[in-house]
């Protein structure tokens, strides 16, 4: 399970490096052709790690700090991927790069000594489907908030705004 999170972290760093190279290059602004696939790979690896951890404890693994950060980073990667592949609005490179860095930071915090690594099932009073729904929907909303926050910061920092 740790190998999946490490693989996802490496994929996120590779995606950020590709995005930075395209963001900082001179000439016409184009979107890179590969970083969104690395983000999708990272999201799938993180979701696989969350599923494996859920099977290990017999309950959706969202109640611990480590599990929550892994799921949060996975959803943020999926939001970045969905933003990149949608065709309705123009895709801006700055907000995608910032959200990718935020997902990598979440994984770095999850792997730090601050987050306990042992997988523990919640106490019997908290073993409810409502808890899993509440936490998962909250983290999905927070992922969209992070993407919107990064976009707002990029807009305020731009000369066009």
């Amino acid at each position: 399970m740790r190998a999946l999170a490490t693989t996802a972290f490496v994929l996120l760093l590779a995606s950020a490096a590709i995005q930075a190279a395209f963001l900082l290059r001179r000439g016409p602004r184009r979107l890179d052709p590969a970083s969104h696939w690395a983000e999708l790979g990272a999201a799938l690896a993180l979701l696989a790690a969350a599923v494996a951890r859920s099977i290990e404890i017999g309950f959706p693994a969202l109640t611990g700090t480590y599990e929550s950060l892994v799921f949060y980073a996975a959803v943020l990667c999926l939001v970045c991927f969905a933003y990149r592949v949608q065709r309705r609005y123009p895709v801006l490179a700055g907000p995608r790069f910032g959200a990718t860095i935020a997902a990598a930071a979440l994984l770095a915090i999850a792997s730090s000594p601050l987050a306990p690594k042992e997988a523990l099932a919640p106490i019997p009073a908290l073993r409810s489907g409502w808890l899993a729904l509440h936490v998962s929907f909250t983290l999905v909303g927070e992922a969209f908030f992070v993407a919107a926050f990064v976009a707002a910061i990029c807009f305020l920092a731009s000369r066009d705004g």
Side-chain angles (χ1 to χ4, degrees):
M1 287 175 276
R2 297 251 182 253
L4 288 172
T6 303
T7 301
F9 187 70
V10 169
L11 284 172
L12 280 177
L13 291 181
S15 176
I18 293 168
Q19 289 177 33
F22 272 77
L23 195 62
L24 298 175
R25 70 182 211 158
R26 297 191 187 272
R29 294 278 177 174
R30 287 189 350 199
L31 292 173
D32 64 273
S35 68
H36 59 290
W37 295 111
E39 286 176 342
L40 180 63
L44 293 176
L46 291 172
L47 291 174
V51 167
R53 198 123 164 154
S54 297
I55 292 170
E56 180 182 330
I57 65 173
F59 189 77
L62 294 170
T63 56
T65 305
Y66 178 80
E67 294 91 357
S68 296
L69 289 171
V70 165
F71 183 75
Y72 192 8
V75 173
L76 188 53
C77 289
L78 288 175
V79 168
C80 289
F81 177 77
Y83 176 63
R84 172 62 174 84
V85 298
Q86 59 85 29
R87 303 272 187 220
R88 189 173 197 164
Y89 302 106
V91 177
L92 302 173
R96 275 197 63 236
F97 176 71
T100 303
I101 294 297
L106 288 170
L107 282 181
I109 293 169
S111 67
S112 76
L114 299 174
K117 307 295 185 290
E118 63 276 351
L120 301 172
I123 61 173
L126 294 178
R127 286 184 157 259
S128 168
W130 293 112
L131 176 70
L133 281 175
H134 170 76
V135 174
S136 62
F137 285 150
T138 300
L139 292 174
V140 168
E142 292 290 331
F144 277 100
F145 173 74
V146 166
F149 176 73
V150 170
I153 294 297
C154 289
F155 175 75
L156 290 174
S158 73
R159 295 183 184 149
D160 298 336

